[in-house]
Amino acid sequence: MSMENSGSTRGRRRRGRGGADVAPEVKREVNYRQLRNPFPPMNVFSEDEIANMHETALRMLEELGMKVLHAEARKIYAAGGARVDEDSEMVFIGRDMIEAALASAPRSIQCRAGARERDITLELGSLVFQAGAGAPNATDLERGRRPGSERDYIEYLQLTHHLDVFQMISPQVEPQDVPVHLRHYFTTQAQMTYTDKFPFIFSRGTPQVMDSFEMIRDFRGLSDDVFMANPHCYTIINTNSPRTLDIPMAQGLIDFARNGQVSIITPFTLMGAMAPITVAGSITLSHAEALAALTLTQLARPGAPVCYGTFTSNVDMKSGAPAFGTPAHFQASLAAGQLARFLGLPWRSAAGSAANINDVQAANENQMGLWGCLMAGATVVIHSAGWLEGGLSVSYEKLVTDAEVLNMIAELCAGAQAGEDEIGYETAMKAVEPQGHFFAAPQTMARYNTEFYEPVVHDYANFGTWTERGSLDANQRATQVWKEIVAADARPEIDQNRLEALKSFVAKRTAEGGAPPES
């Protein structure tokens, strides 16, 4: 049972009984790797309201400012013309600086993966999915909920590599049994050896970032100039709402910009908690924070690849807990999409769920959040699958069941044809008499095993057949799927010399004491 959809080839003609020719077995040819969003963008606010939100964000940065905890970042802002109060660490950014940054930020980013067929383009209209990420815990039906481990990280990586509908590797799950000063060696080496998809690097201080850059550069066989010419990895930058940019995040923006790698800027603004309670207010705050961070990247290196973004939802006002997949979450994605189009920049949004297990609530929340991203025209959809408890855990079963939905979205991205062959006047309409059926029509026989998406988790058997097969629900079937993927352990081909060099680098740096995170 496979969910990998990397395209397939047509089989050879077979011989049937008596030596008669039998039509060749044909597999569906699909491409889940370079997707374009097929849906027209949906607006929640008028153009005038969006322009006013942008204007308010500019005013906020000019008059209220951003608290920037990183001394070098404050110097960079000051050199660019910002007014800086060192005593309060407040930075006041003029609109001329922001306009200059927006002018130099690229509209299209060509991301280089480990194989050319895995390369992706980040721009308005493209569509990239990431698995749920950044969780301290992992869970599955057989082993239950547990702190994330080295084993969990690798298994989750195997799953996200196998499922072609995930085009980027996400931050995944924290391997808490790996010491923090060595963790980046483990995660980077794992991404180089278990997958050839576009990798993620945490911004936890310059020493860790530069180690990771060197590992990717050398393992990919790149020169410094080639590595810096196009992005070969990315990071996610979270502002501390409201209006704060902390030390590791500011340093990450600077490091990734100077080295030509992608920063995905993501203010995490929960309405009623770290942001105003309204969609308009929270998105305006998020927009201001994103503009401030984006400006820093362009001051560090004009033209640096940067992705606009937001992760805005509401809290449950009874408990204060984050809520996802809500109407407010949906509307916030739409508003962020309007602002991204206003700027002309690629951007990220997110789905996700606050449910504690992979149940109907989890499915409902994730799909509502996902459709908000799709209708908003998000370039990158983070937490599109597998995310539970508002990010406190990732579920193997949910990763698989959510990927089923993403596969179907990817099918829609391919569009549909309506030519003579598809309409089938000769091969279908004329071939079937009134009250007949189309099962044996020439058109059906030519397309029966290629026309429709074949589900992996969903079961279309009737009740009797389903019962005979063990009455397995979707979660139980998903367990079977992920276990088969992990057991298969399919990896890309690796240059053994580069692998040995990578291991030697890790051993050397480990012996030297590694690189503790900085904050």
Side-chain angles (χ1 to χ4, degrees):
M1 187 178 294
S2 173
M3 294 183 74
E4 186 169 14
N5 293 281
S6 56
S8 54
T9 57
R10 296 181 179 273
R12 295 180 177 178
R13 181 168 292 276
R14 298 175 291 117
R15 293 284 181 179
R17 292 180 179 178
D21 278 350
V22 177
E25 184 176 343
V26 180
K27 293 184 178 181
R28 301 182 75 245
E29 295 181 358
V30 295
N31 176 14
Y32 289 0
R33 296 182 178 181
Q34 291 84 28
L35 304 179
R36 303 291 298 182
N37 192 325
F39 306 107
M42 179 178 175
N43 295 338
V44 65
F45 297 125
S46 70
E47 291 183 5
D48 288 344
E49 288 171 323
I50 288 295
N52 185 49
M53 290 166 66
H54 177 68
E55 180 66 25
T56 303
L58 296 179
R59 180 185 176 190
M60 192 183 311
L61 294 175
E62 284 181 319
E63 298 180 5
L64 304 181
M66 282 280 291
K67 190 176 183 67
V68 179
L69 305 184
H70 190 273
E72 183 186 2
R74 293 196 301 274
K75 291 179 181 178
I76 293 173
Y77 277 121
R83 179 168 60 89
V84 176
D85 184 330
E86 283 294 333
D87 291 337
S88 63
E89 301 179 319
M90 293 299 297
V91 176
F92 302 88
I93 308 168
R95 63 187 60 214
D96 56 333
M97 293 177 60
I98 295 171
E99 289 170 358
L102 291 173
S104 66
R107 269 52 184 167
S108 182
I109 304 170
Q110 308 301 316
C111 300
R112 297 285 188 172
R116 294 289 69 80
E117 65 270 17
R118 299 281 195 189
D119 291 350
I120 55 175
T121 300
L122 302 183
E123 63 186 12
L124 290 176
S126 62
L127 180 60
V128 174
F129 294 118
Q130 288 187 23
N137 303 295
T139 185
D140 63 70
L141 289 185
E142 296 202 341
R143 294 170 291 187
R145 185 180 187 273
R146 58 197 179 273
S149 66
E150 178 178 328
R151 176 179 177 179
D152 294 322
Y153 185 92
I154 289 176
E155 289 178 347
Y156 202 74
L157 188 57
Q158 290 173 301
L159 299 178
T160 52
H161 172 70
H162 177 89
L163 303 171
D164 260 15
V165 79
F166 302 118
Q167 298 85 9
M168 302 171 79
I169 299 301
S170 74
Q172 303 228 114
V173 59
E174 279 289 335
Q176 296 190 56
D177 54 347
V178 181
V180 292
H181 66 294
L182 305 176
R183 194 171 297 172
H184 63 294
Y185 302 128
F186 165 74
T187 56
T188 306
Q189 180 174 328
Q191 288 181 87
M192 293 299 96
T193 54
Y194 281 87
T195 184
D196 52 7
K197 295 185 180 182
F198 194 61
F200 169 83
I201 302 299
F202 271 114
S203 288
R204 292 174 173 167
T206 299
Q208 289 199 5
V209 167
M210 299 311 293
D211 275 346
S212 301
F213 285 170
E214 185 173 349
M215 292 171 71
I216 295 170
R217 182 201 66 199
D218 292 350
F219 188 79
R220 300 283 195 235
L222 307 172
S223 67
D224 286 338
D225 289 342
V226 171
F227 179 78
M228 295 178 66
N230 286 291
H232 295 269
C233 61
Y234 78 103
T235 194
I236 294 175
I237 300 295
N238 296 118
T239 55
N240 282 350
S241 303
R243 293 187 297 119
T244 303
L245 186 59
D246 67 22
I247 292 173
M249 295 294 95
Q251 188 64 62
L253 289 167
I254 296 167
D255 290 338
F256 273 73
R258 286 175 173 169
N259 289 275
Q261 306 307 303
V262 178
S263 291
I264 298 181
I265 299 170
T266 309
F268 186 25
T269 43
L270 287 173
M271 302 177 215
M274 302 103 74
I277 197 170
T278 62
V279 171
S282 60
I283 287 295
T284 300
L285 174 63
S286 173
H287 185 61
E289 294 177 357
L291 291 176
L294 182 149
T295 299
L296 180 58
T297 67
Q298 300 309 298
L299 291 172
R301 181 184 175 184
V306 61
C307 197
Y308 176 87
T310 187
F311 193 11
T312 300
S313 189
N314 61 287
V315 297
D316 175 11
M317 297 309 294
K318 294 180 180 179
S319 66
F324 301 98
T326 64
H329 182 188
F330 193 113
Q331 290 176 324
S333 294
L334 297 182
Q338 287 184 261
L339 284 164
R341 292 190 294 277
F342 183 86
L343 302 177
L345 296 177
W347 71 289
R348 72 83 94 178
S349 193
S353 170
N356 293 302
I357 61 172
N358 188 30
D359 58 7
V360 174
Q361 177 185 335
N364 288 347
E365 290 175 344
N366 202 79
Q367 289 199 42
M368 274 294 290
L370 173 64
W371 278 106
C373 298
L374 294 171
M375 301 312 294
T379 307
V380 181
V381 181
I382 300 183
H383 310 317
S384 64
W387 215 57
L388 287 175
E389 300 180 70
L392 292 180
S393 69
V394 289
S395 160
Y396 288 24
E397 284 80 19
K398 184 165 176 56
L399 184 75
V400 173
T401 55
D402 287 341
E404 182 92 277
V405 175
L406 299 179
N407 282 350
M408 290 189 274
I409 297 298
E411 295 279 333
L412 295 177
C413 291
Q417 305 297 317
E420 291 299 320
D421 289 345
E422 287 77 25
I423 294 173
Y425 183 83
E426 296 290 338
T427 57
M429 310 298 187
K430 286 178 63 175
V432 178
E433 296 295 327
Q435 296 185 315
H437 65 75
F438 289 82
F439 284 118
Q443 185 192 54
T444 303
M445 296 303 294
R447 295 169 175 259
Y448 72 92
N449 63 350
T450 62
E451 188 68 15
F452 305 127
Y453 169 72
E454 183 177 350
V456 175
V457 181
H458 293 180
D459 187 349
Y460 297 152
N462 62 34
F463 185 82
T465 302
W466 173 74
T467 303
E468 292 172 359
R469 292 174 178 170
S471 306
L472 300 180
D473 64 22
N475 263 331
Q476 293 168 317
R477 295 193 297 273
T479 301
Q480 295 177 337
V481 172
W482 73 252
K483 289 179 67 177
E484 290 176 8
I485 295 171
V486 168
D489 192 21
R491 309 183 195 183
E493 293 185 5
I494 294 175
D495 183 308
Q496 292 301 311
N497 291 330
R498 291 179 183 173
L499 176 60
E500 290 306 314
L502 181 66
K503 291 179 177 178
S504 296
F505 175 86
V506 172
K508 175 177 177 292
R509 292 292 291 120
T510 299
E512 292 170 349
E518 296 180 344
S519 60

